[in-house]
Amino acid sequence: MARVWIEDRASHKEYKEALAKAKAAKRQPPGRWRVRWYDMGGKARSKTFARKPEAEHHVHQVEARLRDGTYRDASAGKATLAEVAEKWKATLSGLEPTTRETYEDTLRVHVLPRWGSYQVRGIEWEDVAEWVGQLVAGTAGHHRPLSPGRVGKIHQVLSLVLGHAVRAKRIPANPAAGVPLPRPVPRDHVYLTHGQVERLADAAGPYRVLVLLAAYTGLRWGELSAVTVGAVDLGARRVSVRQAYKKTRDGLVVGMPKTHERRKVPILRSLADELAPLVDGRKPDELLFTAPRGGPLYGDNFRSRFFTPAVKAAGLGDLGVTPHKLRHTAASLAIASGADVKVVQTMLGHKSAVMTLDLYGHLFPDRLDEVADRLDRERERRAALQRIANALLAERRRLEDPRSRLRLIEGGGETPPQSNMYGIRTARP
């Protein structure tokens, strides 16, 4: 049986009855030509047309889409974005709880109010681009303009839902793809000196070691607050980053570090001595740093009760220092000490060295002149060796010449070879 074919309904009883009713009611007559086909899943489909050329054109379209895999059932695209979003949310079970909650909140607050009632097939690229502009300008139902970073995250959620619709074969392409997004404004990083780090640590009181560990290892707050006693190896001077706390609606949960990669970070020898009292005599599964009454440290509580007062006491209140920004200090101090890009990437747990260079490339010393000087020295050395080789080759050819050898054997007639800049002389017999 053909996959796609045209059926003439002129002789069909139901068509004749429908045609008679339409004429009696003076309505548009039903389509005489019916295109029938089987979709990618083998399900029977059909569509009627008033004129045969229209039906033939549709046959060619369906055949081409079935052949190249771009066929989509038109009725599938009638699903609203809200309906597709529910199915998309069911696929998020493998994400970290914080990521999943962020997606769900963004969907509820920003995406569904604008697009929830739209059929996915009716969402156009131009409409999405206009909406992004409204988010930036603050005219999309919000009381204030949104930052470029926030707009990017909102667009990402809409694009993920529409991407799910594409994979589910509801629409042929993602209308959110390629929409111009506002460029994020680079944030100024805070780089503390060794002296400033020491003052801040002293002002942190019982959390002195925590501040030092953050400033010299670059651990993220979730990683730092989740370090256990067993993860600290004072002999090897390493901290194993195995887990991280994630803040959710239900409180803190333990998960994998960001990028899902475990790593080890170095401990300064001087810092290892200060860590020893926090490790000795404690169980491996105990948290290295805890809240004053025990239990894990909450970032917001730690910052308001301990870190911000310490920043002010250390005279650093005008720098905007936060626990997370100590990562920038760790990177800058490591680079200043001679660490290369790969070492800094590993220490900070970045996904790639490209990310490290994007963030801290300006901190690496300008070594262009050093490279050029080394190339110059190598070039001069190679040129000198080549001149010596050419001189030796010329002397060899002279000695291999029969007439020169005869004069040497007879002991005369030839001027002793001239010395050259390399002191090369030929031995006389």
Side-chain angles (χ1 to χ4, degrees):
M1 182 188 300
R3 191 74 181 270
V4 187
W5 69 97
I6 299 176
E7 187 177 67
D8 185 357
R9 301 200 301 157
S11 60
H12 293 187
K13 180 180 179 181
E14 68 275 9
Y15 172 75
K16 293 179 180 179
E17 292 175 352
L19 183 61
K21 290 180 180 179
K23 287 182 178 180
K26 296 183 179 180
R27 296 197 307 264
Q28 186 75 20
R32 171 181 172 180
W33 307 94
R34 180 161 57 190
V35 178
R36 303 186 65 180
W37 70 93
Y38 291 98
D39 63 16
M40 304 289 284
K43 188 175 180 179
R45 303 287 182 179
S46 66
K47 186 175 183 179
T48 59
F49 297 88
R51 300 172 62 247
K52 187 174 183 181
E54 295 174 348
E56 291 174 338
H57 178 69
H58 190 69
V59 166
H60 298 319
Q61 284 186 323
V62 172
E63 285 179 335
R65 290 169 182 169
L66 289 171
R67 186 167 52 250
D68 61 21
T70 61
Y71 174 82
R72 298 293 183 274
D73 180 13
S75 62
K78 293 180 181 179
T80 65
L81 187 99
E83 293 170 341
V84 175
E86 285 300 315
K87 295 182 179 297
W88 169 72
K89 285 196 297 183
T91 68
L92 303 181
S93 58
L95 296 180
E96 293 286 351
T98 51
T99 303
R100 186 171 62 251
E101 288 182 1
T102 299
Y103 283 169
E104 291 174 349
D105 290 343
T106 301
L107 186 70
R108 174 177 51 82
V109 175
H110 298 284
V111 177
L112 291 182
R114 173 65 175 84
W115 303 104
S117 61
Y118 276 64
Q119 293 181 357
V120 288
R121 68 177 184 178
I123 299 176
E124 301 289 344
W125 181 91
E126 188 175 15
D127 297 331
V128 177
E130 181 181 1
W131 176 62
V132 167
Q134 292 171 350
L135 292 173
V136 175
T139 59
H142 302 279
H143 298 294
R144 60 181 177 81
L146 300 178
S147 68
R150 184 64 183 144
V151 171
K153 288 180 171 61
I154 295 170
H155 170 268
Q156 180 191 24
V157 172
L158 173 63
S159 184
L160 288 171
V161 175
L162 291 172
H164 180 86
V166 173
R167 290 187 293 275
K169 299 188 183 301
R170 295 182 181 275
I171 52 177
N174 187 340
V179 169
L181 298 176
R183 182 171 297 179
V185 178
R187 296 180 180 179
D188 293 331
H189 292 170
V190 178
Y191 306 116
L192 301 183
T193 64
H194 290 286
Q196 290 172 326
V197 170
E198 195 65 29
R199 296 207 312 267
L200 179 60
D202 287 341
Y207 293 106
R208 166 184 166 81
V209 178
L210 182 150
V211 170
L212 291 175
L213 194 64
Y216 287 108
T217 63
L219 292 178
R220 301 178 180 91
W221 173 255
E223 298 168 344
L224 184 64
S225 59
V227 171
T228 60
V229 172
V232 180
D233 186 343
L234 295 179
R237 292 192 294 117
R238 293 288 186 273
V239 173
S240 297
V241 184
R242 304 168 181 168
Q243 60 186 22
Y245 273 121
K246 315 284 184 176
K247 185 179 179 182
T248 69
R249 302 187 191 101
D250 300 324
L252 296 179
V253 297
V254 176
M256 290 289 291
K258 195 173 182 179
T259 71
H260 296 270
E261 291 186 7
R262 297 182 177 183
R263 68 188 191 281
K264 291 185 178 181
V265 296
I267 306 173
L268 275 64
R269 194 179 303 277
S270 57
L271 184 53
D273 296 335
E274 296 196 49
L275 274 169
L278 296 178
V279 174
D280 292 342
R282 300 180 64 192
K283 297 179 181 179
D285 59 348
E286 290 186 55
L287 291 173
L288 186 65
F289 305 108
T290 62
R293 297 182 180 180
L297 280 167
Y298 278 74
D300 294 339
N301 292 343
F302 173 79
R303 182 174 176 179
S304 61
R305 297 178 185 176
F306 299 99
F307 193 82
T308 299
V311 169
K312 293 179 180 178
L316 306 174
D318 58 337
L319 297 181
V321 185
T322 65
H324 179 76
K325 289 182 179 179
L326 290 179
R327 276 172 62 80
H328 305 319
T329 291
S332 67
L333 295 178
I335 292 169
S337 70
D340 60 31
V341 176
K342 197 64 182 176
V343 170
V344 178
Q345 175 207 342
T346 302
M347 185 177 79
L348 297 182
H350 286 162
K351 191 173 183 179
S352 69
V354 173
M355 181 178 180
T356 306
L357 284 173
D358 286 343
L359 289 172
Y360 306 114
H362 62 287
L363 296 179
F364 286 91
D366 183 356
R367 303 179 64 186
L368 295 178
D369 290 337
E370 179 184 340
V371 172
D373 291 342
R374 286 183 179 180
L375 290 173
D376 264 336
R377 290 195 295 270
E378 180 64 17
R379 184 184 181 194
E380 291 172 0
R381 187 180 72 85
R382 293 287 181 180
L385 291 175
Q386 187 62 49
R387 288 195 296 271
I388 294 173
N390 291 341
L392 291 174
L393 181 61
E395 183 66 10
R396 176 182 175 183
R397 289 174 177 172
R398 190 184 69 80
L399 293 175
E400 289 178 348
D401 181 60
R403 289 174 294 181
S404 297
R405 295 178 63 184
L406 180 60
R407 283 194 293 272
L408 287 173
I409 293 171
E410 292 175 349
E414 185 176 33
T415 304
Q418 298 291 326
S419 63
N420 54 42
M421 63 179 293
Y422 303 106
I424 300 174
R425 294 177 179 272
T426 56
R428 295 180 63 87

